[in-house]
Amino acid sequence: QNVWTLFADNSLSHQALVAVLHHFVHMGQHKRANVQQRVFGLHSAGLYLLLLEIPGSIANQVFHQVMFDKCLHTLTKCWPQELRKRKKGQTQSSQPNARRNRKKGKPCRNNNSSMEEMLEEEEEEDDENVYFSTEDLLQVRNAIFLLLKNFLRLLPKFSLKEKPQCMQNCLQVFVETTSFEPVLHEFKFSAAMDVDKAKYIPELAYYGLHLLCSPLHGTADKTLRCVFQRLLSVVLMVESRGASRFEVLPITSAVTSARNQAVKFISSLVDELKEAVYPVLRILLQHICTKVPDKADYRTHAAQALVTLLDKLPCAEFAEFIAWLYKYSLTKVCYRVFALDVALALLELPERSPDSSLSLDRQSFLKHKFLVQVMVFGRCSDKAPVVRSKALSSFAHCLEMKAAAISDSI
């Protein structure tokens, strides 16, 4: 029997049902909500998604963008906030406060970001601590897991092509949940994934990102740009703090694991989509170069990620990017330092055989000789002491390498 007919025959309003579900979802997202309210909120969000799956939901106007987005954000907002604050506090305490001894000027009234920070601080002060046992947290985690499954069952049937804001919110939440918990086993990124066999929330989140790359939800190029833009912070091990503002995360096993999974996911998309993704991947690689934190450990990790992804490109695109990297290495001091990290990471790869279709100029960019003599040794006389020091230590590292191509280059 048709569920909508059932509602009508029993004088039940599906709009009233949605309103009740909204109430539970709203209560579950409150910072002082107890475990029962959070679980009820997550289950209510899942029930709303099940309603959207039923044929006729669009005709009966069950979909509402505000409700959809609220259910989506339940995935992150129902998880106890104090756990996030603890992580945030650890991150901030690990960074030196450069402005500690500066004089404070008058606050600008039009500074929206400062106002938001002040409001957040006031909210935190007003919060009463709500404590959760391990069992409570497990209940909430399992409810989040089930809700995410419901989203993944809906996405192949429910197009977001005409709902750009919902699409962006999905991308944001899915990327956030890729770092939700540690993953104890390797998993494959595939469109043929069986949701019922998944064990971890990040596993489902990456499957969700893969589903969003489907033509059902928009043009592949535009979606890939958005996905890569969101994953950039995961690859760089930073946390976004608004427009063009990033805060480095402490390099823990969880953070590096999330980074590795992000790199593998991007690699799987490149393997699957081939030429369609090359231009977008090039942009991602350029963003890694320009937005990498100017800290040694972060540069090293970023260089490794960049080279892993760069190695996915065919010779022509590979050579083109190395040409861009060389121009990049002639600009800012921090760029010159990072280019040296990338050059060393590239030297760990086998030297590529030139493609006959490449010009002689482009073929030179494939050689280890170019990396050693131009990218590394060429910086040994740099006017900036930090670059010169880095170049000398990098060249010393080249001397210690045993690869024949590198020895010949030197």
Side-chain angles (χ1 to χ4, degrees):
Q1 188 178 4
N2 188 307
V3 68
W4 310 114
T5 306
L6 185 66
F7 277 140
D9 291 346
N10 290 276
S11 301
L12 296 173
S13 168
H14 58 271
Q15 299 290 357
L17 174 59
V18 171
V20 172
L21 295 177
H22 180 276
H23 167 75
F24 282 111
V25 170
H26 180 73
M27 294 302 294
Q29 291 182 3
H30 198 279
K31 290 182 179 180
R32 291 193 290 271
N34 59 35
V35 63
Q36 189 178 50
Q37 289 172 317
R38 292 171 193 266
V39 171
F40 283 174
L42 288 160
H43 289 334
S44 298
L47 184 54
Y48 176 71
L49 297 180
L50 290 175
L51 283 176
L52 289 179
E53 273 192 65
I54 300 172
S57 63
I58 295 177
N60 284 277
Q61 299 180 337
V62 175
F63 174 79
H64 193 285
Q65 182 176 327
V66 174
M67 181 61 177
F68 182 87
D69 288 344
K70 198 166 188 69
C71 291
L72 179 66
H73 286 291
T74 306
L75 289 167
T76 53
K77 289 187 176 181
C78 276
W79 187 246
Q81 296 296 310
E82 66 267 16
L83 297 180
R84 290 187 188 179
K85 288 178 190 174
R86 201 177 304 155
K87 291 180 183 177
K88 180 180 174 183
Q90 290 171 355
T91 304
Q92 290 176 341
S93 64
S94 66
Q95 307 303 323
N97 188 351
R99 295 184 294 178
R100 186 175 296 163
N101 297 321
R102 291 186 188 175
K103 291 182 179 179
K104 291 185 179 179
K106 292 183 179 180
C108 177
R109 291 185 179 180
N110 294 326
N111 191 334
N112 292 330
S113 60
S114 298
M115 184 61 70
E116 288 174 4
E117 289 173 3
M118 289 169 63
L119 290 173
E120 283 180 8
E121 288 175 4
E122 288 176 5
E123 285 179 5
E124 288 177 10
E125 289 173 2
D126 292 339
D127 277 349
E128 295 176 4
N129 289 328
V130 181
Y131 297 99
F132 296 91
S133 67
T134 304
E135 186 179 348
D136 291 340
L137 293 175
L138 185 60
Q139 280 188 57
V140 177
R141 182 265 174 203
N142 290 340
I144 291 172
F145 185 79
L146 290 174
L147 176 58
L148 190 49
K149 273 188 175 182
N150 285 340
F151 264 107
L152 301 188
R153 290 194 181 98
L154 175 67
L155 286 178
K157 311 167 190 174
F158 192 81
S159 174
L160 298 178
K161 186 180 288 187
E162 304 300 326
K163 306 170 182 67
Q165 190 58 51
C166 292
M167 178 71 169
Q168 287 297 323
N169 290 335
C170 277
L171 288 173
Q172 177 191 341
V173 171
F174 286 172
V175 169
E176 284 182 27
T177 50
T178 58
S179 308
F180 185 88
E181 62 187 359
V183 177
L184 303 179
H185 73 84
E186 291 288 327
F187 58 88
K188 293 183 179 180
F189 305 98
S190 169
M193 173 186 170
D194 186 352
V195 174
D196 292 323
K197 291 183 179 179
K199 295 181 179 179
Y200 300 100
I201 289 174
E203 191 175 359
L204 293 176
Y206 276 115
Y207 180 54
L209 289 174
H210 196 286
L211 289 176
L212 291 176
C213 294
S214 162
L216 177 68
H217 301 295
T219 57
D221 181 74
K222 185 177 180 181
T223 304
L224 286 169
R225 284 174 186 266
C226 295
V227 171
F228 286 2
Q229 181 184 9
R230 294 283 182 183
L231 287 175
L232 176 63
S233 59
V234 182
V235 173
L236 294 179
M237 299 187 295
V238 298
E239 188 175 16
S240 177
R241 291 293 182 196
S244 302
R245 291 175 59 208
F246 294 95
E247 184 178 277
V248 295
L249 296 171
I251 301 178
T252 62
S253 58
V255 172
T256 53
S257 175
R259 178 197 72 108
N260 293 338
Q261 287 167 14
V263 172
K264 287 179 182 177
F265 175 71
I266 296 168
S267 298
S268 72
L269 287 178
V270 177
D271 291 338
E272 181 182 340
L273 301 175
K274 304 293 183 185
E275 291 83 0
V277 78
Y278 292 159
V280 188
L281 179 61
R282 175 187 167 90
I283 294 171
L284 173 66
L285 297 178
Q286 290 174 340
H287 281 174
I288 290 174
C289 291
T290 56
K291 295 184 178 180
V292 59
D294 191 18
K295 296 176 182 289
D297 290 341
Y298 293 86
R299 286 197 304 266
T300 302
H301 284 292
Q304 291 169 351
L306 184 142
V307 169
T308 300
L309 296 173
L310 181 59
D311 196 36
K312 293 288 179 180
L313 294 175
C315 285
E317 285 78 6
F318 185 94
E320 186 179 350
F321 185 82
I322 299 298
W324 177 88
L325 185 69
Y326 173 64
K327 293 177 183 177
Y328 159 91
S329 71
L330 302 175
T331 54
K332 297 180 182 179
V333 170
C334 58
Y335 289 0
R336 302 204 292 272
V337 173
F338 182 63
L340 289 165
D341 283 309
V342 175
L344 285 183
L346 284 168
L347 288 171
E348 299 288 345
L349 298 177
E351 186 173 273
R352 292 197 176 201
S353 301
D355 192 332
S356 58
S357 62
L358 288 177
S359 65
L360 290 176
D361 289 342
R362 281 288 186 260
Q363 287 182 22
S364 65
F365 291 119
L366 301 178
K367 300 289 187 181
H368 281 173
K369 181 179 179 180
F370 175 81
L371 296 173
V372 174
Q373 295 185 359
V374 179
M375 297 287 290
V376 177
F377 187 71
R379 291 288 110 208
C380 289
S381 56
D382 195 282
K383 62 182 180 181
V386 64
V387 181
R388 194 163 60 244
S389 173
K390 176 72 175 178
L392 289 168
S393 63
S394 299
F395 188 65
H397 183 71
C398 292
L399 292 171
E400 295 172 358
M401 288 183 169
K402 297 179 180 179
I406 298 173
S407 301
D408 293 343
S409 301
I410 297 172

